[in-house]
Amino acid sequence: MTQPLLLALTIAFPRPGQRLPYVERCYMIGAVGPGPTNITVGGRSAAVYRTGAWATLVEVSPGTNVVDVAGSNHWFVIGPKPVRKPSSGPVKPAPERVYGKLPYADDAARAAPTNRAPGEITVVIDAGHGGRDTGALSPHGIEEKDANLRTARAVRVELERRGYRVIMTRDDDRQIALYDRPKVAHANNADAFISIHHNAPPVDRDPRTVRYSVVYAWNEIGENLGKAINRRLAETLKAEGLKNNGVPRANYAVTRNPEIPSCLVEVDFITSPEGEEASWNPERRRRVAAAIADGFEDWAKGG
Ligand SMILES: [Zn+2]
């Protein structure tokens, strides 16, 4: 068995207990067990947290010359941590990317269903990820796909209690292609599409400290829905001290539905220990679901 040649350049596969050569700064990716995994770096203990398919090693000081993975029965990839280059000279704006319209969508933007009874209003709730696509992983190995489904079900309960017609893109652990999700809204002539997710930070950020709620939208009609939901969500989560990042525009496949008001809710960061614990709390989940349903209802009533 030979390792791919590329790996020899910057990356090593240490065996448990193996001592590695000098690495200036490092991070780790690969299979990390449940909970923060402690390794020894230069005689000092450092924690590795799971953040999705990646794990991030935190608290490694430059100049460390030995990384010891003693006691670990997992494999790691160790390499130089990606460093963001500081920009030099005037910042050039990124070229505008042109995203294709969904092939089945039309252009007529739908207005909020302000004059209809809840029973005549259809909302599609999309539990993000599913099946082999786990989404992000929490420090103790909770998979984002499951946290999303639990929250999506709670949102359905809240909306159905108020009389709305709710369709789920999935109600079990299955993989659904990204573009098939907004298709469900289109096929059912839905009035709105809400995708539920839990967030993870980029690999070069400390997953213990990054935490906020945020709602993404792509166009103005999605933004109106997103703002209504985010107002209620931010208010509810403020009570527990969670920050909110507003309603930025984002080109996600599930928000890019030109005529159906669509948004993507990132409830919290499942990668932070506190965010993980909160995602597991049924009472908190019910409050989040009620806030999302309240926001939806504000929007549906023209508020
Ligand atoms: Zn996600």
mmCIF file of all heavy atoms in Angstrom, residues 218-263:
data_model
loop_
_atom_site.group_PDB
_atom_site.id
_atom_site.type_symbol
_atom_site.label_atom_id
_atom_site.label_comp_id
_atom_site.label_asym_id
_atom_site.label_seq_id
_atom_site.Cartn_x
_atom_site.Cartn_y
_atom_site.Cartn_z
ATOM 1 N N TRP A 218 -31.600 34.992 -0.624
ATOM 2 C CA TRP A 218 -30.927 35.271 -1.900
ATOM 3 C C TRP A 218 -31.473 36.517 -2.581
ATOM 4 O O TRP A 218 -30.747 37.332 -3.118
ATOM 5 C CB TRP A 218 -31.076 34.056 -2.824
ATOM 6 C CG TRP A 218 -30.498 34.244 -4.186
ATOM 7 C CD1 TRP A 218 -29.186 34.422 -4.510
ATOM 8 C CD2 TRP A 218 -31.217 34.280 -5.422
ATOM 9 N NE1 TRP A 218 -29.039 34.556 -5.864
ATOM 10 C CE2 TRP A 218 -30.264 34.473 -6.450
ATOM 11 C CE3 TRP A 218 -32.565 34.163 -5.765
ATOM 12 C CZ2 TRP A 218 -30.617 34.544 -7.791
ATOM 13 C CZ3 TRP A 218 -32.921 34.221 -7.100
ATOM 14 C CH2 TRP A 218 -31.955 34.415 -8.104
ATOM 15 N N ASN A 219 -32.798 36.655 -2.567
ATOM 16 C CA ASN A 219 -33.386 37.828 -3.229
ATOM 17 C C ASN A 219 -34.311 38.556 -2.247
ATOM 18 O O ASN A 219 -34.466 38.154 -1.100
ATOM 19 C CB ASN A 219 -34.113 37.415 -4.509
ATOM 20 C CG ASN A 219 -35.267 36.457 -4.242
ATOM 21 O OD1 ASN A 219 -35.595 36.186 -3.089
ATOM 22 N ND2 ASN A 219 -35.877 35.955 -5.286
ATOM 23 N N GLU A 220 -34.939 39.606 -2.733
ATOM 24 C CA GLU A 220 -35.734 40.440 -1.841
ATOM 25 C C GLU A 220 -36.932 39.701 -1.244
ATOM 26 O O GLU A 220 -37.234 39.870 -0.055
ATOM 27 C CB GLU A 220 -36.204 41.684 -2.610
ATOM 28 C CG GLU A 220 -36.586 42.815 -1.686
ATOM 29 C CD GLU A 220 -37.116 44.019 -2.447
ATOM 30 O OE1 GLU A 220 -36.642 44.259 -3.582
ATOM 31 O OE2 GLU A 220 -38.002 44.698 -1.898
ATOM 32 N N ILE A 221 -37.577 38.868 -2.032
ATOM 33 C CA ILE A 221 -38.752 38.181 -1.471
ATOM 34 C C ILE A 221 -38.340 37.172 -0.410
ATOM 35 O O ILE A 221 -39.047 36.957 0.566
ATOM 36 C CB ILE A 221 -39.658 37.527 -2.554
ATOM 37 C CG1 ILE A 221 -38.896 36.480 -3.377
ATOM 38 C CG2 ILE A 221 -40.317 38.567 -3.426
ATOM 39 C CD1 ILE A 221 -39.844 35.571 -4.165
ATOM 40 N N GLY A 222 -37.165 36.577 -0.585
ATOM 41 C CA GLY A 222 -36.658 35.678 0.449
ATOM 42 C C GLY A 222 -36.213 36.458 1.671
ATOM 43 O O GLY A 222 -36.379 36.002 2.812
ATOM 44 N N GLU A 223 -35.674 37.631 1.414
ATOM 45 C CA GLU A 223 -35.193 38.481 2.503
ATOM 46 C C GLU A 223 -36.346 38.941 3.409
ATOM 47 O O GLU A 223 -36.194 39.005 4.632
ATOM 48 C CB GLU A 223 -34.490 39.694 1.895
ATOM 49 C CG GLU A 223 -33.551 40.408 2.820
ATOM 50 C CD GLU A 223 -32.820 41.502 2.069
ATOM 51 O OE1 GLU A 223 -33.478 42.427 1.550
ATOM 52 O OE2 GLU A 223 -31.594 41.426 1.964
ATOM 53 N N ASN A 224 -37.497 39.251 2.809
ATOM 54 C CA ASN A 224 -38.652 39.662 3.619
ATOM 55 C C ASN A 224 -39.049 38.559 4.600
ATOM 56 O O ASN A 224 -39.296 38.808 5.774
ATOM 57 C CB ASN A 224 -39.849 40.004 2.723
ATOM 58 C CG ASN A 224 -39.604 41.279 1.930
ATOM 59 O OD1 ASN A 224 -38.777 42.105 2.313
ATOM 60 N ND2 ASN A 224 -40.304 41.427 0.818
ATOM 61 N N LEU A 225 -39.095 37.327 4.080
ATOM 62 C CA LEU A 225 -39.405 36.179 4.934
ATOM 63 C C LEU A 225 -38.303 35.977 5.972
ATOM 64 O O LEU A 225 -38.575 35.801 7.163
ATOM 65 C CB LEU A 225 -39.548 34.920 4.057
ATOM 66 C CG LEU A 225 -39.675 33.585 4.793
ATOM 67 C CD1 LEU A 225 -40.995 33.524 5.567
ATOM 68 C CD2 LEU A 225 -39.594 32.409 3.797
ATOM 69 N N GLY A 226 -37.051 36.036 5.504
ATOM 70 C CA GLY A 226 -35.906 35.822 6.391
ATOM 71 C C GLY A 226 -35.851 36.843 7.521
ATOM 72 O O GLY A 226 -35.565 36.491 8.665
ATOM 73 N N LYS A 227 -36.133 38.098 7.196
ATOM 74 C CA LYS A 227 -36.086 39.149 8.226
ATOM 75 C C LYS A 227 -37.157 38.930 9.288
ATOM 76 O O LYS A 227 -36.917 39.135 10.474
ATOM 77 C CB LYS A 227 -36.250 40.529 7.582
ATOM 78 C CG LYS A 227 -34.966 41.055 6.962
ATOM 79 C CD LYS A 227 -35.165 42.432 6.373
ATOM 80 C CE LYS A 227 -33.835 42.982 5.865
ATOM 81 N NZ LYS A 227 -34.022 44.163 5.006
ATOM 82 N N ALA A 228 -38.341 38.529 8.842
ATOM 83 C CA ALA A 228 -39.431 38.289 9.800
ATOM 84 C C ALA A 228 -39.056 37.146 10.743
ATOM 85 O O ALA A 228 -39.260 37.234 11.963
ATOM 86 C CB ALA A 228 -40.722 37.974 9.047
ATOM 87 N N ILE A 229 -38.484 36.077 10.184
ATOM 88 C CA ILE A 229 -38.085 34.926 11.011
ATOM 89 C C ILE A 229 -36.918 35.314 11.915
ATOM 90 O O ILE A 229 -36.910 35.011 13.111
ATOM 91 C CB ILE A 229 -37.730 33.725 10.118
ATOM 92 C CG1 ILE A 229 -39.008 33.164 9.482
ATOM 93 C CG2 ILE A 229 -37.001 32.641 10.920
ATOM 94 C CD1 ILE A 229 -38.779 32.058 8.468
ATOM 95 N N ASN A 230 -35.951 36.023 11.348
ATOM 96 C CA ASN A 230 -34.756 36.360 12.124
ATOM 97 C C ASN A 230 -35.069 37.286 13.295
ATOM 98 O O ASN A 230 -34.453 37.177 14.359
ATOM 99 C CB ASN A 230 -33.700 36.994 11.221
ATOM 100 C CG ASN A 230 -32.368 37.095 11.921
ATOM 101 O OD1 ASN A 230 -31.813 36.079 12.344
ATOM 102 N ND2 ASN A 230 -31.869 38.306 12.108
ATOM 103 N N ARG A 231 -36.030 38.203 13.096
ATOM 104 C CA ARG A 231 -36.417 39.127 14.169
ATOM 105 C C ARG A 231 -36.860 38.336 15.406
ATOM 106 O O ARG A 231 -36.409 38.578 16.519
ATOM 107 C CB ARG A 231 -37.565 40.010 13.670
ATOM 108 C CG ARG A 231 -37.737 41.314 14.430
ATOM 109 C CD ARG A 231 -38.811 42.174 13.781
ATOM 110 N NE ARG A 231 -38.466 42.537 12.411
ATOM 111 C CZ ARG A 231 -39.276 42.371 11.344
ATOM 112 N NH1 ARG A 231 -40.478 41.835 11.490
ATOM 113 N NH2 ARG A 231 -38.889 42.730 10.141
ATOM 114 N N ARG A 232 -37.726 37.349 15.182
ATOM 115 C CA ARG A 232 -38.252 36.544 16.300
ATOM 116 C C ARG A 232 -37.174 35.622 16.867
ATOM 117 O O ARG A 232 -37.080 35.424 18.073
ATOM 118 C CB ARG A 232 -39.441 35.704 15.819
ATOM 119 C CG ARG A 232 -40.624 36.536 15.399
ATOM 120 C CD ARG A 232 -41.317 37.128 16.601
ATOM 121 N NE ARG A 232 -42.655 37.582 16.258
ATOM 122 C CZ ARG A 232 -43.662 37.653 17.117
ATOM 123 N NH1 ARG A 232 -43.481 37.313 18.373
ATOM 124 N NH2 ARG A 232 -44.848 38.072 16.740
ATOM 125 N N LEU A 233 -36.376 35.042 15.979
ATOM 126 C CA LEU A 233 -35.335 34.096 16.411
ATOM 127 C C LEU A 233 -34.278 34.822 17.256
ATOM 128 O O LEU A 233 -33.887 34.358 18.334
ATOM 129 C CB LEU A 233 -34.679 33.446 15.189
ATOM 130 C CG LEU A 233 -33.666 32.339 15.471
ATOM 131 C CD1 LEU A 233 -34.356 31.119 16.090
ATOM 132 C CD2 LEU A 233 -32.937 31.922 14.193
ATOM 133 N N ALA A 234 -33.840 35.990 16.763
ATOM 134 C CA ALA A 234 -32.814 36.765 17.470
ATOM 135 C C ALA A 234 -33.316 37.171 18.854
ATOM 136 O O ALA A 234 -32.583 37.096 19.849
ATOM 137 C CB ALA A 234 -32.435 37.991 16.665
ATOM 138 N N GLU A 235 -34.590 37.582 18.903
ATOM 139 C CA GLU A 235 -35.220 37.996 20.159
ATOM 140 C C GLU A 235 -35.233 36.840 21.172
ATOM 141 O O GLU A 235 -34.849 37.003 22.326
ATOM 142 C CB GLU A 235 -36.664 38.380 19.800
ATOM 143 C CG GLU A 235 -37.430 39.231 20.761
ATOM 144 C CD GLU A 235 -38.800 39.534 20.129
ATOM 145 O OE1 GLU A 235 -38.881 40.494 19.341
ATOM 146 O OE2 GLU A 235 -39.753 38.772 20.393
ATOM 147 N N THR A 236 -35.627 35.674 20.708
ATOM 148 C CA THR A 236 -35.705 34.496 21.579
ATOM 149 C C THR A 236 -34.317 34.078 22.081
ATOM 150 O O THR A 236 -34.141 33.776 23.256
ATOM 151 C CB THR A 236 -36.355 33.317 20.806
ATOM 152 O OG1 THR A 236 -37.698 33.669 20.533
ATOM 153 C CG2 THR A 236 -36.323 32.025 21.598
ATOM 154 N N LEU A 237 -33.331 34.094 21.168
ATOM 155 C CA LEU A 237 -32.003 33.599 21.534
ATOM 156 C C LEU A 237 -31.194 34.644 22.316
ATOM 157 O O LEU A 237 -30.242 34.301 23.017
ATOM 158 C CB LEU A 237 -31.245 33.131 20.293
ATOM 159 C CG LEU A 237 -31.893 31.936 19.581
ATOM 160 C CD1 LEU A 237 -31.124 31.563 18.323
ATOM 161 C CD2 LEU A 237 -31.991 30.721 20.507
ATOM 162 N N LYS A 238 -31.603 35.916 22.193
ATOM 163 C CA LYS A 238 -30.943 36.985 22.948
ATOM 164 C C LYS A 238 -31.096 36.727 24.451
ATOM 165 O O LYS A 238 -30.186 37.014 25.237
ATOM 166 C CB LYS A 238 -31.571 38.333 22.573
ATOM 167 C CG LYS A 238 -30.732 39.526 22.969
ATOM 168 C CD LYS A 238 -31.430 40.813 22.565
ATOM 169 C CE LYS A 238 -30.682 42.002 23.138
ATOM 170 N NZ LYS A 238 -31.388 43.266 22.868
ATOM 171 N N ALA A 239 -32.239 36.159 24.807
ATOM 172 C CA ALA A 239 -32.517 35.859 26.222
ATOM 173 C C ALA A 239 -31.470 34.910 26.801
ATOM 174 O O ALA A 239 -31.222 34.913 28.007
ATOM 175 C CB ALA A 239 -33.916 35.269 26.351
ATOM 176 N N GLU A 240 -30.856 34.084 25.968
ATOM 177 C CA GLU A 240 -29.803 33.183 26.471
ATOM 178 C C GLU A 240 -28.408 33.688 26.098
ATOM 179 O O GLU A 240 -27.428 32.955 26.201
ATOM 180 C CB GLU A 240 -30.020 31.747 25.962
ATOM 181 C CG GLU A 240 -30.046 31.608 24.460
ATOM 182 C CD GLU A 240 -30.240 30.171 23.986
ATOM 183 O OE1 GLU A 240 -31.390 29.672 24.048
ATOM 184 O OE2 GLU A 240 -29.246 29.550 23.580
ATOM 185 N N GLY A 241 -28.346 34.931 25.619
ATOM 186 C CA GLY A 241 -27.044 35.568 25.356
ATOM 187 C C GLY A 241 -26.411 35.217 24.026
ATOM 188 O O GLY A 241 -25.227 35.480 23.814
ATOM 189 N N LEU A 242 -27.210 34.633 23.111
ATOM 190 C CA LEU A 242 -26.638 34.259 21.812
ATOM 191 C C LEU A 242 -26.698 35.442 20.847
ATOM 192 O O LEU A 242 -27.727 36.094 20.704
ATOM 193 C CB LEU A 242 -27.387 33.061 21.227
ATOM 194 C CG LEU A 242 -26.781 32.438 19.972
ATOM 195 C CD1 LEU A 242 -25.418 31.821 20.260
ATOM 196 C CD2 LEU A 242 -27.709 31.360 19.409
ATOM 197 N N LYS A 243 -25.583 35.711 20.188
ATOM 198 C CA LYS A 243 -25.512 36.815 19.229
ATOM 199 C C LYS A 243 -26.250 36.439 17.949
ATOM 200 O O LYS A 243 -26.531 35.269 17.690
ATOM 201 C CB LYS A 243 -24.040 37.128 18.893
ATOM 202 C CG LYS A 243 -23.351 37.905 20.004
ATOM 203 C CD LYS A 243 -21.950 38.306 19.600
ATOM 204 C CE LYS A 243 -20.996 37.147 19.756
ATOM 205 N NZ LYS A 243 -19.595 37.453 19.548
ATOM 206 N N ASN A 244 -26.535 37.466 17.137
ATOM 207 C CA ASN A 244 -27.241 37.234 15.881
ATOM 208 C C ASN A 244 -26.536 37.982 14.761
ATOM 209 O O ASN A 244 -26.072 39.095 14.949
ATOM 210 C CB ASN A 244 -28.702 37.706 16.007
ATOM 211 C CG ASN A 244 -29.460 37.534 14.706
ATOM 212 O OD1 ASN A 244 -29.557 38.450 13.902
ATOM 213 N ND2 ASN A 244 -29.980 36.345 14.488
ATOM 214 N N ASN A 245 -26.449 37.364 13.613
ATOM 215 C CA ASN A 245 -25.693 37.937 12.500
ATOM 216 C C ASN A 245 -26.577 38.511 11.388
ATOM 217 O O ASN A 245 -26.115 38.715 10.272
ATOM 218 C CB ASN A 245 -24.736 36.883 11.934
ATOM 219 C CG ASN A 245 -23.400 37.477 11.545
ATOM 220 O OD1 ASN A 245 -22.994 38.491 12.120
ATOM 221 N ND2 ASN A 245 -22.733 36.874 10.587
ATOM 222 N N GLY A 246 -27.855 38.728 11.689
ATOM 223 C CA GLY A 246 -28.739 39.377 10.714
ATOM 224 C C GLY A 246 -29.179 38.472 9.578
ATOM 225 O O GLY A 246 -29.231 37.245 9.729
ATOM 226 N N VAL A 247 -29.501 39.092 8.424
ATOM 227 C CA VAL A 247 -30.004 38.345 7.260
ATOM 228 C C VAL A 247 -29.150 38.670 6.036
ATOM 229 O O VAL A 247 -29.535 39.456 5.181
ATOM 230 C CB VAL A 247 -31.496 38.678 6.985
ATOM 231 C CG1 VAL A 247 -32.057 37.786 5.867
ATOM 232 C CG2 VAL A 247 -32.331 38.499 8.243
ATOM 233 N N PRO A 248 -27.932 38.086 5.959
ATOM 234 C CA PRO A 248 -27.091 38.343 4.784
ATOM 235 C C PRO A 248 -27.648 37.639 3.538
ATOM 236 O O PRO A 248 -28.370 36.649 3.643
ATOM 237 C CB PRO A 248 -25.738 37.735 5.168
ATOM 238 C CG PRO A 248 -25.865 37.272 6.588
ATOM 239 C CD PRO A 248 -27.315 37.180 6.910
ATOM 240 N N ARG A 249 -27.273 38.203 2.384
ATOM 241 C CA ARG A 249 -27.631 37.530 1.121
ATOM 242 C C ARG A 249 -26.649 36.386 0.875
ATOM 243 O O ARG A 249 -25.450 36.537 1.120
ATOM 244 C CB ARG A 249 -27.535 38.523 -0.037
ATOM 245 C CG ARG A 249 -28.554 39.658 0.045
ATOM 246 C CD ARG A 249 -29.809 39.312 -0.726
ATOM 247 N NE ARG A 249 -30.805 40.370 -0.586
ATOM 248 C CZ ARG A 249 -31.300 41.062 -1.622
ATOM 249 N NH1 ARG A 249 -30.863 40.835 -2.848
ATOM 250 N NH2 ARG A 249 -32.232 41.971 -1.430
ATOM 251 N N ALA A 250 -27.127 35.256 0.400
ATOM 252 C CA ALA A 250 -26.249 34.118 0.120
ATOM 253 C C ALA A 250 -26.778 33.322 -1.062
ATOM 254 O O ALA A 250 -27.975 33.123 -1.196
ATOM 255 C CB ALA A 250 -26.140 33.219 1.344
ATOM 256 N N ASN A 251 -25.853 32.883 -1.889
ATOM 257 C CA ASN A 251 -26.204 32.100 -3.077
ATOM 258 C C ASN A 251 -26.263 30.609 -2.787
ATOM 259 O O ASN A 251 -25.481 29.841 -3.336
ATOM 260 C CB ASN A 251 -25.136 32.335 -4.150
ATOM 261 C CG ASN A 251 -25.446 33.554 -4.971
ATOM 262 O OD1 ASN A 251 -26.517 33.664 -5.564
ATOM 263 N ND2 ASN A 251 -24.516 34.489 -4.998
ATOM 264 N N TYR A 252 -27.147 30.213 -1.906
ATOM 265 C CA TYR A 252 -27.280 28.777 -1.641
ATOM 266 C C TYR A 252 -28.321 28.180 -2.576
ATOM 267 O O TYR A 252 -29.308 28.836 -2.908
ATOM 268 C CB TYR A 252 -27.713 28.538 -0.188
ATOM 269 C CG TYR A 252 -26.688 28.955 0.835
ATOM 270 C CD1 TYR A 252 -27.075 29.567 2.018
ATOM 271 C CD2 TYR A 252 -25.322 28.717 0.627
ATOM 272 C CE1 TYR A 252 -26.135 29.949 2.970
ATOM 273 C CE2 TYR A 252 -24.390 29.094 1.569
ATOM 274 C CZ TYR A 252 -24.796 29.701 2.741
ATOM 275 O OH TYR A 252 -23.871 30.074 3.667
ATOM 276 N N ALA A 253 -28.083 26.934 -2.971
ATOM 277 C CA ALA A 253 -29.024 26.263 -3.882
ATOM 278 C C ALA A 253 -30.441 26.295 -3.320
ATOM 279 O O ALA A 253 -31.406 26.475 -4.052
ATOM 280 C CB ALA A 253 -28.586 24.823 -4.117
ATOM 281 N N VAL A 254 -30.565 26.143 -2.005
ATOM 282 C CA VAL A 254 -31.911 26.071 -1.425
ATOM 283 C C VAL A 254 -32.566 27.443 -1.226
ATOM 284 O O VAL A 254 -33.757 27.517 -0.949
ATOM 285 C CB VAL A 254 -31.936 25.291 -0.087
ATOM 286 C CG1 VAL A 254 -31.647 23.822 -0.321
ATOM 287 C CG2 VAL A 254 -30.979 25.891 0.923
ATOM 288 N N THR A 255 -31.788 28.533 -1.332
ATOM 289 C CA THR A 255 -32.429 29.853 -1.197
ATOM 290 C C THR A 255 -32.654 30.501 -2.562
ATOM 291 O O THR A 255 -33.341 31.491 -2.667
ATOM 292 C CB THR A 255 -31.565 30.819 -0.358
ATOM 293 O OG1 THR A 255 -30.268 30.931 -0.954
ATOM 294 C CG2 THR A 255 -31.413 30.341 1.078
ATOM 295 N N ARG A 256 -32.050 29.904 -3.599
ATOM 296 C CA ARG A 256 -32.023 30.528 -4.920
ATOM 297 C C ARG A 256 -33.243 30.136 -5.741
ATOM 298 O O ARG A 256 -33.141 29.663 -6.856
ATOM 299 C CB ARG A 256 -30.745 30.068 -5.633
ATOM 300 C CG ARG A 256 -30.111 31.128 -6.486
ATOM 301 C CD ARG A 256 -28.664 30.845 -6.734
ATOM 302 N NE ARG A 256 -28.392 29.575 -7.379
ATOM 303 C CZ ARG A 256 -27.488 28.702 -6.928
ATOM 304 N NH1 ARG A 256 -26.815 28.933 -5.834
ATOM 305 N NH2 ARG A 256 -27.277 27.571 -7.570
ATOM 306 N N ASN A 257 -34.391 30.334 -5.185
ATOM 307 C CA ASN A 257 -35.631 29.988 -5.858
ATOM 308 C C ASN A 257 -36.296 31.302 -6.244
ATOM 309 O O ASN A 257 -36.738 32.032 -5.374
ATOM 310 C CB ASN A 257 -36.521 29.188 -4.898
ATOM 311 C CG ASN A 257 -37.584 28.409 -5.633
ATOM 312 O OD1 ASN A 257 -38.019 28.814 -6.712
ATOM 313 N ND2 ASN A 257 -38.008 27.301 -5.072
ATOM 314 N N PRO A 258 -36.325 31.646 -7.529
ATOM 315 C CA PRO A 258 -36.690 33.019 -7.868
ATOM 316 C C PRO A 258 -38.096 33.437 -7.465
ATOM 317 O O PRO A 258 -38.317 34.581 -7.127
ATOM 318 C CB PRO A 258 -36.507 33.077 -9.384
ATOM 319 C CG PRO A 258 -36.335 31.690 -9.848
ATOM 320 C CD PRO A 258 -35.976 30.842 -8.682
ATOM 321 N N GLU A 259 -39.051 32.505 -7.489
ATOM 322 C CA GLU A 259 -40.413 32.980 -7.239
ATOM 323 C C GLU A 259 -40.977 32.586 -5.875
ATOM 324 O O GLU A 259 -41.952 33.147 -5.437
ATOM 325 C CB GLU A 259 -41.357 32.530 -8.359
ATOM 326 C CG GLU A 259 -41.915 31.118 -8.233
ATOM 327 C CD GLU A 259 -41.013 30.058 -8.824
ATOM 328 O OE1 GLU A 259 -39.788 30.255 -8.796
ATOM 329 O OE2 GLU A 259 -41.527 29.047 -9.300
ATOM 330 N N ILE A 260 -40.364 31.625 -5.215
ATOM 331 C CA ILE A 260 -40.904 31.202 -3.912
ATOM 332 C C ILE A 260 -40.053 31.796 -2.788
ATOM 333 O O ILE A 260 -38.845 31.557 -2.733
ATOM 334 C CB ILE A 260 -40.951 29.659 -3.800
ATOM 335 C CG1 ILE A 260 -41.901 29.095 -4.864
ATOM 336 C CG2 ILE A 260 -41.396 29.225 -2.397
ATOM 337 C CD1 ILE A 260 -41.916 27.602 -4.977
ATOM 338 N N PRO A 261 -40.643 32.596 -1.911
ATOM 339 C CA PRO A 261 -39.881 33.173 -0.799
ATOM 340 C C PRO A 261 -39.154 32.070 -0.031
ATOM 341 O O PRO A 261 -39.790 31.155 0.494
ATOM 342 C CB PRO A 261 -40.959 33.844 0.061
ATOM 343 C CG PRO A 261 -42.058 34.158 -0.910
ATOM 344 C CD PRO A 261 -42.046 33.022 -1.913
ATOM 345 N N SER A 262 -37.822 32.152 -0.008
ATOM 346 C CA SER A 262 -37.009 31.075 0.552
ATOM 347 C C SER A 262 -35.927 31.643 1.459
ATOM 348 O O SER A 262 -35.341 32.678 1.149
ATOM 349 C CB SER A 262 -36.317 30.281 -0.565
ATOM 350 O OG SER A 262 -37.255 29.798 -1.504
ATOM 351 N N CYS A 263 -35.655 30.958 2.556
ATOM 352 C CA CYS A 263 -34.539 31.376 3.404
ATOM 353 C C CYS A 263 -33.938 30.152 4.094
ATOM 354 O O CYS A 263 -34.533 29.077 4.114
ATOM 355 C CB CYS A 263 -34.976 32.427 4.429
ATOM 356 S SG CYS A 263 -36.145 31.840 5.649
#
